[in-house]
Amino acid sequence: MKPGSIKKWLRGGLLTLATLQTVVSVWQYVFPRSFYDDFPTVNLDPPYNEHLLSDVGGLGLALTGMLYFAAWVLDSKVVLSALIGYLIYAATHFTFHVRHFDHFSLLEAFGVGTGLGVEVVLALVLLHVAGRVHRAESDPPAT
C-alpha cells in the first residue's frame, strides 16, 4: 500500500472516531439529562449526576477536537498522540462496562460490549497504521 493511500485510510479512520465521539460528547454536554434518560443502557448505571455527565461530555469534546485536528494535519506525532489518548479513554470505558453488566439483558450487554469493543479495536488498528507511517516518515531516505 502506498503512503498516500495509507494516509487517506488513516484520515478516514480518524474522522470516523471523531464523528462518533462528537455525537456522544455533544449529547452528553448539551443535553446531559436526555443522554441519561434516552441513551440505551445508561439508565442501568448509578443515579443521574448532571455535573459528572456534562464534565465527561466536555472531556469527550476535547478528545473530539484532537481527533479532528489529527485528521486535518495528518502529522504523525499529532495522530499518534490523539490515538493514544482516544485508546486510553475507549479501553477504560470498555473495561468499566464489561465489568458492570449485572442489570443488563444479554442483548444489552452484547450491544454495549460490541459497540465499545469496536471502538477499541479501531483505535488499535489506527494506532498500528499511524506507527508504521511515523516510522516510514522518520527513516532517512536510502541513498
Side-chain angles (χ1 to χ4, degrees):
M1 201 179 247
K2 294 180 181 178
S5 64
I6 291 173
K7 280 193 165 188
K8 285 180 184 178
W9 187 87
L10 186 58
R11 178 174 280 128
L14 286 164
L15 290 171
T16 299
L17 288 177
T19 301
L20 292 169
Q21 191 63 44
T22 298
V23 171
V24 172
S25 297
V26 167
W27 191 1
Q28 287 172 325
Y29 189 75
V30 178
F31 305 107
R33 187 68 207 202
S34 169
F35 184 85
Y36 181 81
D37 289 339
D38 302 324
F39 193 87
T41 71
V42 170
N43 63 342
L44 300 173
D45 290 332
Y48 174 72
N49 180 321
E50 181 178 0
H51 180 206
L52 177 62
L53 274 178
S54 64
D55 283 356
V56 169
L59 290 169
L61 288 171
L63 188 52
T64 295
M66 291 174 58
L67 290 167
Y68 279 121
F69 182 71
W72 180 42
V73 299
L74 276 186
D75 175 87
S76 61
K77 290 178 184 175
V78 173
V79 169
L80 287 168
S81 64
L83 285 170
I84 289 167
Y86 184 84
L87 179 59
I88 291 167
Y89 164 75
T92 57
H93 190 196
F94 172 79
T95 301
F96 174 86
H97 279 286
V98 298
R99 293 176 40 231
H100 293 89
F101 283 148
D102 304 355
H103 299 92
F104 285 52
S105 71
L106 181 59
L107 184 60
E108 291 166 335
F110 180 77
V112 170
T114 302
L116 296 176
V118 165
E119 291 178 347
V120 171
V121 169
L122 180 55
L124 283 168
V125 168
L126 291 171
L127 191 57
H128 173 74
V129 171
R132 291 184 63 183
V133 168
H134 178 68
R135 283 188 297 280
E137 290 176 348
S138 299
D139 287 341
T143 53

